[in-house]
Amino acid sequence: MSNNQLKEALDTLKETGVRITPQRHAILDYLINAMSHPTADDIYKALEGKFPNMSVATVYNNLRVFREVGLVKELTYGDASSRFDYITTDHYHVICDSCGKIVDFHYPGLDEVEALAAHVTGFKVSHHRMEIYGVCMDCQMKDAH
């Protein structure tokens, strides 16, 4: 499945005139397969072995390019480092108060909320965002000991 997503993402870059470098290819591939909503630093650490000349700045610059062409969303929660999410379908995030881990979950029922909000207020609703906070299983286990 992710190979198809990678191909679509690379096609999008080509259509927008963005040159596809080996680093861009690797960063996109990593993001598509990462379920952890990595920070730029996480991506850099994961790929530095393969690209010893790549800097954190390179990762940031490429993430900015991906964000501008609509492939990636930057998630900013509190004062933690931005995390990056490859845009697939609309989904929501559950965030651990303890370690900052972010997990996706899907709840299509919330589309009705947009329709209701538009109907009640007369707004032309463009999008919504919902975050749920708590403590993840790993942190609960740590706290239990």
PDB file of all heavy atoms in Angstrom, residues 23-43:
ATOM      1  N   GLN A  23      17.402  12.297  -1.175  1.00  0.00           N
ATOM      2  CA  GLN A  23      17.008  12.658   0.188  1.00  0.00           C
ATOM      3  C   GLN A  23      15.493  12.864   0.284  1.00  0.00           C
ATOM      4  O   GLN A  23      14.853  12.391   1.208  1.00  0.00           O
ATOM      5  CB  GLN A  23      17.698  13.945   0.669  1.00  0.00           C
ATOM      6  CG  GLN A  23      19.167  13.775   0.944  1.00  0.00           C
ATOM      7  CD  GLN A  23      20.028  14.144  -0.265  1.00  0.00           C
ATOM      8  OE1 GLN A  23      19.621  13.999  -1.416  1.00  0.00           O
ATOM      9  NE2 GLN A  23      21.227  14.616  -0.001  1.00  0.00           N
ATOM     10  N   ARG A  24      14.929  13.585  -0.690  1.00  0.00           N
ATOM     11  CA  ARG A  24      13.477  13.832  -0.675  1.00  0.00           C
ATOM     12  C   ARG A  24      12.720  12.507  -0.744  1.00  0.00           C
ATOM     13  O   ARG A  24      11.731  12.311  -0.041  1.00  0.00           O
ATOM     14  CB  ARG A  24      13.064  14.728  -1.847  1.00  0.00           C
ATOM     15  CG  ARG A  24      13.405  16.151  -1.583  1.00  0.00           C
ATOM     16  CD  ARG A  24      12.787  17.097  -2.589  1.00  0.00           C
ATOM     17  NE  ARG A  24      13.151  18.441  -2.167  1.00  0.00           N
ATOM     18  CZ  ARG A  24      13.483  19.423  -2.986  1.00  0.00           C
ATOM     19  NH1 ARG A  24      13.461  19.237  -4.285  1.00  0.00           N
ATOM     20  NH2 ARG A  24      13.806  20.600  -2.506  1.00  0.00           N
ATOM     21  N   HIS A  25      13.209  11.638  -1.618  1.00  0.00           N
ATOM     22  CA  HIS A  25      12.589  10.325  -1.778  1.00  0.00           C
ATOM     23  C   HIS A  25      12.602   9.587  -0.433  1.00  0.00           C
ATOM     24  O   HIS A  25      11.581   9.040   0.002  1.00  0.00           O
ATOM     25  CB  HIS A  25      13.362   9.547  -2.853  1.00  0.00           C
ATOM     26  CG  HIS A  25      12.694   8.302  -3.308  1.00  0.00           C
ATOM     27  ND1 HIS A  25      12.704   7.157  -2.558  1.00  0.00           N
ATOM     28  CD2 HIS A  25      11.974   8.023  -4.433  1.00  0.00           C
ATOM     29  CE1 HIS A  25      12.035   6.211  -3.199  1.00  0.00           C
ATOM     30  NE2 HIS A  25      11.579   6.711  -4.343  1.00  0.00           N
ATOM     31  N   ALA A  26      13.755   9.589   0.226  1.00  0.00           N
ATOM     32  CA  ALA A  26      13.909   8.860   1.489  1.00  0.00           C
ATOM     33  C   ALA A  26      13.063   9.479   2.606  1.00  0.00           C
ATOM     34  O   ALA A  26      12.451   8.757   3.400  1.00  0.00           O
ATOM     35  CB  ALA A  26      15.379   8.834   1.900  1.00  0.00           C
ATOM     36  N   ILE A  27      13.015  10.810   2.672  1.00  0.00           N
ATOM     37  CA  ILE A  27      12.224  11.483   3.716  1.00  0.00           C
ATOM     38  C   ILE A  27      10.738  11.162   3.526  1.00  0.00           C
ATOM     39  O   ILE A  27      10.033  10.830   4.481  1.00  0.00           O
ATOM     40  CB  ILE A  27      12.471  13.016   3.712  1.00  0.00           C
ATOM     41  CG1 ILE A  27      13.912  13.320   4.145  1.00  0.00           C
ATOM     42  CG2 ILE A  27      11.483  13.735   4.626  1.00  0.00           C
ATOM     43  CD1 ILE A  27      14.352  14.756   3.882  1.00  0.00           C
ATOM     44  N   LEU A  28      10.274  11.250   2.283  1.00  0.00           N
ATOM     45  CA  LEU A  28       8.863  10.934   2.001  1.00  0.00           C
ATOM     46  C   LEU A  28       8.548   9.487   2.351  1.00  0.00           C
ATOM     47  O   LEU A  28       7.537   9.196   2.989  1.00  0.00           O
ATOM     48  CB  LEU A  28       8.569  11.145   0.518  1.00  0.00           C
ATOM     49  CG  LEU A  28       7.865  12.423   0.126  1.00  0.00           C
ATOM     50  CD1 LEU A  28       7.620  12.421  -1.377  1.00  0.00           C
ATOM     51  CD2 LEU A  28       6.579  12.644   0.879  1.00  0.00           C
ATOM     52  N   ASP A  29       9.428   8.580   1.926  1.00  0.00           N
ATOM     53  CA  ASP A  29       9.231   7.162   2.194  1.00  0.00           C
ATOM     54  C   ASP A  29       9.147   6.919   3.700  1.00  0.00           C
ATOM     55  O   ASP A  29       8.267   6.202   4.185  1.00  0.00           O
ATOM     56  CB  ASP A  29      10.392   6.361   1.578  1.00  0.00           C
ATOM     57  CG  ASP A  29      10.116   4.863   1.582  1.00  0.00           C
ATOM     58  OD1 ASP A  29       8.949   4.476   1.364  1.00  0.00           O
ATOM     59  OD2 ASP A  29      11.064   4.092   1.800  1.00  0.00           O
ATOM     60  N   TYR A  30      10.039   7.561   4.442  1.00  0.00           N
ATOM     61  CA  TYR A  30      10.047   7.409   5.899  1.00  0.00           C
ATOM     62  C   TYR A  30       8.738   7.921   6.497  1.00  0.00           C
ATOM     63  O   TYR A  30       8.124   7.256   7.338  1.00  0.00           O
ATOM     64  CB  TYR A  30      11.249   8.154   6.494  1.00  0.00           C
ATOM     65  CG  TYR A  30      11.359   7.961   7.983  1.00  0.00           C
ATOM     66  CD1 TYR A  30      11.929   6.799   8.503  1.00  0.00           C
ATOM     67  CD2 TYR A  30      10.884   8.917   8.874  1.00  0.00           C
ATOM     68  CE1 TYR A  30      12.021   6.596   9.877  1.00  0.00           C
ATOM     69  CE2 TYR A  30      10.967   8.724  10.237  1.00  0.00           C
ATOM     70  CZ  TYR A  30      11.538   7.562  10.733  1.00  0.00           C
ATOM     71  OH  TYR A  30      11.616   7.358  12.081  1.00  0.00           O
ATOM     72  N   LEU A  31       8.304   9.107   6.057  1.00  0.00           N
ATOM     73  CA  LEU A  31       7.074   9.703   6.589  1.00  0.00           C
ATOM     74  C   LEU A  31       5.845   8.842   6.297  1.00  0.00           C
ATOM     75  O   LEU A  31       4.974   8.690   7.155  1.00  0.00           O
ATOM     76  CB  LEU A  31       6.842  11.071   5.953  1.00  0.00           C
ATOM     77  CG  LEU A  31       7.377  12.262   6.719  1.00  0.00           C
ATOM     78  CD1 LEU A  31       7.229  13.505   5.871  1.00  0.00           C
ATOM     79  CD2 LEU A  31       6.675  12.431   8.051  1.00  0.00           C
ATOM     80  N   ILE A  32       5.776   8.307   5.084  1.00  0.00           N
ATOM     81  CA  ILE A  32       4.617   7.502   4.698  1.00  0.00           C
ATOM     82  C   ILE A  32       4.535   6.245   5.559  1.00  0.00           C
ATOM     83  O   ILE A  32       3.456   5.819   5.944  1.00  0.00           O
ATOM     84  CB  ILE A  32       4.670   7.149   3.193  1.00  0.00           C
ATOM     85  CG1 ILE A  32       4.386   8.418   2.369  1.00  0.00           C
ATOM     86  CG2 ILE A  32       3.674   6.049   2.846  1.00  0.00           C
ATOM     87  CD1 ILE A  32       4.663   8.283   0.885  1.00  0.00           C
ATOM     88  N   ASN A  33       5.696   5.676   5.884  1.00  0.00           N
ATOM     89  CA  ASN A  33       5.707   4.435   6.653  1.00  0.00           C
ATOM     90  C   ASN A  33       5.749   4.626   8.155  1.00  0.00           C
ATOM     91  O   ASN A  33       5.502   3.688   8.907  1.00  0.00           O
ATOM     92  CB  ASN A  33       6.884   3.559   6.207  1.00  0.00           C
ATOM     93  CG  ASN A  33       6.661   3.041   4.804  1.00  0.00           C
ATOM     94  OD1 ASN A  33       5.698   2.335   4.557  1.00  0.00           O
ATOM     95  ND2 ASN A  33       7.511   3.434   3.872  1.00  0.00           N
ATOM     96  N   ALA A  34       6.061   5.848   8.605  1.00  0.00           N
ATOM     97  CA  ALA A  34       6.151   6.093  10.051  1.00  0.00           C
ATOM     98  C   ALA A  34       4.752   6.303  10.610  1.00  0.00           C
ATOM     99  O   ALA A  34       4.017   7.152  10.138  1.00  0.00           O
ATOM    100  CB  ALA A  34       7.001   7.328  10.309  1.00  0.00           C
ATOM    101  N   MET A  35       4.406   5.546  11.611  1.00  0.00           N
ATOM    102  CA  MET A  35       3.104   5.741  12.232  1.00  0.00           C
ATOM    103  C   MET A  35       3.256   6.653  13.448  1.00  0.00           C
ATOM    104  O   MET A  35       2.316   6.938  14.142  1.00  0.00           O
ATOM    105  CB  MET A  35       2.516   4.381  12.670  1.00  0.00           C
ATOM    106  CG  MET A  35       2.250   3.424  11.517  1.00  0.00           C
ATOM    107  SD  MET A  35       1.476   4.166  10.045  1.00  0.00           S
ATOM    108  CE  MET A  35      -0.160   4.507  10.656  1.00  0.00           C
ATOM    109  N   SER A  36       4.477   7.118  13.689  1.00  0.00           N
ATOM    110  CA  SER A  36       4.758   7.815  14.943  1.00  0.00           C
ATOM    111  C   SER A  36       4.709   9.340  14.857  1.00  0.00           C
ATOM    112  O   SER A  36       5.010   9.999  15.824  1.00  0.00           O
ATOM    113  CB  SER A  36       6.151   7.403  15.420  1.00  0.00           C
ATOM    114  OG  SER A  36       7.094   7.774  14.425  1.00  0.00           O
ATOM    115  N   HIS A  37       4.348   9.897  13.693  1.00  0.00           N
ATOM    116  CA  HIS A  37       4.347  11.351  13.530  1.00  0.00           C
ATOM    117  C   HIS A  37       5.693  11.912  13.963  1.00  0.00           C
ATOM    118  O   HIS A  37       5.797  12.611  14.954  1.00  0.00           O
ATOM    119  CB  HIS A  37       3.234  12.000  14.361  1.00  0.00           C
ATOM    120  CG  HIS A  37       1.895  11.421  14.072  1.00  0.00           C
ATOM    121  ND1 HIS A  37       1.455  10.269  14.669  1.00  0.00           N
ATOM    122  CD2 HIS A  37       0.915  11.829  13.239  1.00  0.00           C
ATOM    123  CE1 HIS A  37       0.241   9.999  14.213  1.00  0.00           C
ATOM    124  NE2 HIS A  37      -0.111  10.920  13.344  1.00  0.00           N
ATOM    125  N   PRO A  38       6.752  11.582  13.216  1.00  0.00           N
ATOM    126  CA  PRO A  38       8.111  11.931  13.647  1.00  0.00           C
ATOM    127  C   PRO A  38       8.384  13.437  13.635  1.00  0.00           C
ATOM    128  O   PRO A  38       7.746  14.188  12.900  1.00  0.00           O
ATOM    129  CB  PRO A  38       8.988  11.222  12.607  1.00  0.00           C
ATOM    130  CG  PRO A  38       8.125  11.105  11.393  1.00  0.00           C
ATOM    131  CD  PRO A  38       6.731  10.924  11.909  1.00  0.00           C
ATOM    132  N   THR A  39       9.346  13.842  14.447  1.00  0.00           N
ATOM    133  CA  THR A  39       9.857  15.211  14.396  1.00  0.00           C
ATOM    134  C   THR A  39      10.908  15.229  13.277  1.00  0.00           C
ATOM    135  O   THR A  39      11.349  14.171  12.814  1.00  0.00           O
ATOM    136  CB  THR A  39      10.541  15.609  15.718  1.00  0.00           C
ATOM    137  OG1 THR A  39      11.660  14.736  15.920  1.00  0.00           O
ATOM    138  CG2 THR A  39       9.602  15.501  16.907  1.00  0.00           C
ATOM    139  N   ALA A  40      11.329  16.422  12.884  1.00  0.00           N
ATOM    140  CA  ALA A  40      12.390  16.536  11.876  1.00  0.00           C
ATOM    141  C   ALA A  40      13.648  15.828  12.385  1.00  0.00           C
ATOM    142  O   ALA A  40      14.368  15.178  11.627  1.00  0.00           O
ATOM    143  CB  ALA A  40      12.675  18.001  11.574  1.00  0.00           C
ATOM    144  N   ASP A  41      13.892  15.937  13.682  1.00  0.00           N
ATOM    145  CA  ASP A  41      15.052  15.297  14.300  1.00  0.00           C
ATOM    146  C   ASP A  41      14.969  13.771  14.210  1.00  0.00           C
ATOM    147  O   ASP A  41      15.968  13.109  13.933  1.00  0.00           O
ATOM    148  CB  ASP A  41      15.132  15.731  15.769  1.00  0.00           C
ATOM    149  CG  ASP A  41      16.556  15.983  16.173  1.00  0.00           C
ATOM    150  OD1 ASP A  41      17.302  16.595  15.378  1.00  0.00           O
ATOM    151  OD2 ASP A  41      16.932  15.543  17.285  1.00  0.00           O
ATOM    152  N   ASP A  42      13.769  13.222  14.439  1.00  0.00           N
ATOM    153  CA  ASP A  42      13.577  11.767  14.316  1.00  0.00           C
ATOM    154  C   ASP A  42      13.922  11.310  12.899  1.00  0.00           C
ATOM    155  O   ASP A  42      14.577  10.290  12.703  1.00  0.00           O
ATOM    156  CB  ASP A  42      12.110  11.374  14.584  1.00  0.00           C
ATOM    157  CG  ASP A  42      11.659  11.637  16.009  1.00  0.00           C
ATOM    158  OD1 ASP A  42      12.518  11.670  16.915  1.00  0.00           O
ATOM    159  OD2 ASP A  42      10.436  11.808  16.203  1.00  0.00           O
ATOM    160  N   ILE A  43      13.438  12.084  11.919  1.00  0.00           N
ATOM    161  CA  ILE A  43      13.669  11.731  10.508  1.00  0.00           C
ATOM    162  C   ILE A  43      15.157  11.800  10.200  1.00  0.00           C
ATOM    163  O   ILE A  43      15.730  10.890   9.596  1.00  0.00           O
ATOM    164  CB  ILE A  43      12.869  12.662   9.570  1.00  0.00           C
ATOM    165  CG1 ILE A  43      11.360  12.503   9.825  1.00  0.00           C
ATOM    166  CG2 ILE A  43      13.200  12.375   8.104  1.00  0.00           C
ATOM    167  CD1 ILE A  43      10.499  13.577   9.168  1.00  0.00           C
TER     168      ILE A  43
END
